[in-house]
Amino acid sequence: MYRKSILLMFLLVSLFISSANSKSIIWVSGDVDGDDNGSYTDDWQDWIDKLEAEGYTVDVNPLYWNELTQDKVNELNAADLVIISRAIDSSVMSTNDAEVTLWNSVTTPILNCSPYVLRNTRWKWINNGDGTLPNNNGDQGSPLMQVMEPSHPIFWGITLGANNQVQVVNPDLGSGNCSFINTADVGNGTLIAKTVGENWVWIAEWQEGVEFYNGANAYANGHRMSFSAGAREGAVGGTDSYKVSEYNWTDEGWKIYLNAVKYMLGELDYKASSPNPKDEETDVVRNAILSWKAGISADSHNVYFGTDLDDVNNATISSHDNVTLTESLDVNNFDPGTLELGVTYYWRVDEVNAPSSPGSYKGQVWQFTVEPYA
């Protein structure tokens, strides 16, 4: 009986830890029933199942987000990631300028999987001329993906073919058709991947604070990524019905998509992150041990440490005056020794992943201030 109680307690503690560490994702979807079977939730259920299998908590509440209010924006801001699914009606998501402004005001990172909502007549992420889409927008088959930024973290562990192309959609799943917006111009964003053939956006991102394109008068209030994902609901010819946003990835396609989710959650980065002490922390003890979260491909770490911001930022292996350099650390912590009271220190961690290209990733300069007295 005693051993059973201990086992039960262990399981409960494990479940609590798992739940506490789980990132929360809000899945935004509508009520479009693509296969006309009386249920719209099963159209995209495979995506939810696979995300939950990765340990994420996915909040699914169809129709709830069709009319956005400031209170609902606050709910979105409390999540770790918002995914706009392919199963939405873009006109419902942008009934007027006020609603568009509310969606763009969300501070939580947004991964948008519907190309329809990108238009300059919707959320104004991409300027596609007059805002119309081509007649064959939903009947574009299953093209190859042309990767424009092969060093981007979302392609970590992905084998790219000739000319950095990869097959990410399976033509035998769903309708065999995808949807894209008809331009490769992403304004002030970064084009990460496009279609082979029509030269249309597949993946793009915008950093927090940028105007999506000049003259848009719409800004990314948080990290934004567009990643067209999910089968078109109608087949070529339009006679057969398919599920809206039905899962249609190849194995490589799912890996890239999951990498994108992790990247938007801050879980996938080549650079060092999550410094301890925290950046700009004060009253740090004199015998503090510095640590950080290692980059995903880090083989070793080069640590630059000093009392001048510019010196630390500009230091290199061959030139680091007034900066202490510790090379090739095989652990992600560093002991700077006993620190001076009241002094502000600056430090930088470069992640080294030789023999991979580019070989190293320059880190951000962090700072902390030691306690004024012991």
Side-chain angles (χ1 to χ4, degrees):
M1 182 66 180
Y2 178 78
R3 292 179 61 187
K4 289 182 178 179
S5 298
I6 293 295
L7 178 59
L8 178 59
M9 183 180 297
F10 174 79
L11 290 174
L12 289 173
V13 170
S14 298
L15 287 171
F16 173 79
I17 292 175
S18 175
S19 174
N21 291 336
S22 177
K23 294 291 184 70
S24 63
I25 298 174
I26 290 179
W27 178 271
V28 177
S29 61
D31 60 347
V32 184
D33 183 10
D35 56 358
D36 198 28
N37 69 344
S39 172
Y40 49 82
T41 58
D42 69 335
D43 290 17
W44 32 259
Q45 188 61 45
D46 285 345
W47 299 95
I48 305 301
D49 293 342
K50 293 180 79 68
L51 288 170
E52 289 181 339
E54 294 292 330
Y56 298 117
T57 299
V58 185
D59 181 351
V60 183
N61 196 349
L63 302 178
Y64 181 72
W65 306 104
N66 281 2
E67 183 179 349
L68 197 63
T69 63
Q70 184 58 55
D71 286 342
K72 291 182 180 180
V73 168
N74 296 339
E75 293 180 50
L76 293 170
N77 288 339
D80 295 303
L81 175 65
V82 175
I83 295 180
I84 309 298
S85 76
R86 171 66 180 76
I88 63 166
D89 183 336
S90 65
S91 63
V92 171
M93 308 292 285
S94 52
T95 55
N96 52 51
D97 288 343
E99 187 170 37
V100 172
T101 299
L102 279 175
W103 275 111
N104 286 331
S105 74
V106 174
T107 56
T108 296
I110 293 179
L111 177 61
N112 172 48
C113 300
S114 172
Y116 300 98
V117 81
L118 297 173
R119 293 177 281 173
N120 57 4
T121 54
R122 298 293 191 247
W123 285 3
K124 302 179 182 179
W125 288 19
I126 290 179
N127 185 8
N128 64 322
D130 61 1
T132 60
L133 294 173
N135 291 331
N136 69 334
N137 185 65
D139 298 329
Q140 295 170 6
S142 301
L144 287 170
M145 175 184 285
Q146 176 67 61
V147 176
M148 308 302 293
E149 298 284 339
S151 64
H152 196 284
I154 68 172
F155 300 110
W156 171 248
I158 303 300
T159 301
L160 300 178
N163 301 316
N164 290 327
Q165 296 178 358
V166 59
Q167 184 74 54
V168 300
V169 286
N170 186 341
D172 296 324
L173 291 179
S175 63
N177 289 288
C178 303
S179 300
F180 305 99
I181 195 167
N182 57 331
T183 181
D185 184 356
V186 297
N188 296 320
T190 300
L191 179 64
I192 298 172
K194 61 182 181 179
T195 62
V196 173
E198 294 291 351
N199 197 33
W200 291 346
V201 176
W202 201 320
I203 309 174
E205 73 174 319
W206 296 260
Q207 299 301 327
E208 180 180 350
V210 305
E211 186 177 21
F212 289 108
Y213 57 86
N214 294 338
N217 197 29
Y219 297 82
N221 234 33
H223 192 186
R224 302 289 188 257
M225 176 175 284
S226 174
F227 193 150
S228 296
R232 167 73 176 180
E233 64 269 26
V236 176
T239 56
D240 297 324
S241 291
Y242 294 88
K243 297 176 181 179
V244 179
S245 185
E246 188 170 15
Y247 183 84
N248 62 341
W249 286 137
T250 62
D251 289 344
E252 291 292 88
W254 169 248
K255 291 177 185 177
I256 297 171
Y257 183 83
L258 183 58
N259 278 349
V261 171
K262 292 179 178 179
Y263 171 70
M264 296 299 287
L265 284 166
E267 298 176 341
L268 198 67
D269 198 346
Y270 291 121
K271 297 181 180 181
S273 60
S274 302
N276 182 31
K278 294 180 180 179
D279 190 25
E280 301 185 355
E281 186 172 338
T282 58
D283 290 329
V284 174
V285 296
R286 298 183 70 189
N287 59 346
I289 303 297
L290 313 186
S291 63
W292 60 92
K293 180 181 178 182
I296 58 175
S297 62
D299 180 66
S300 61
H301 321 274
N302 295 337
V303 179
Y304 297 86
F305 186 81
T307 56
D308 184 88
L309 172 63
D310 291 334
D311 286 345
V312 173
N313 183 55
N314 297 327
T316 64
I317 291 178
S318 59
S319 177
H320 48 88
D321 293 339
N322 304 316
V323 173
T324 299
L325 167 62
T326 303
E327 288 188 72
S328 303
L329 274 174
D330 59 1
V331 293
N332 56 325
N333 58 72
F334 169 69
D335 185 353
T338 303
L339 302 169
E340 295 295 325
L341 294 172
V343 173
T344 296
Y345 290 93
Y346 301 88
W347 59 300
R348 188 185 99 211
V349 180
D350 288 1
E351 298 295 63
V352 183
N353 66 325
S356 301
S357 176
S360 67
Y361 293 87
K362 182 180 178 180
Q364 174 187 344
V365 177
W366 299 311
Q367 72 178 72
F368 65 87
T369 303
V370 180
E371 57 192 352
Y373 52 86

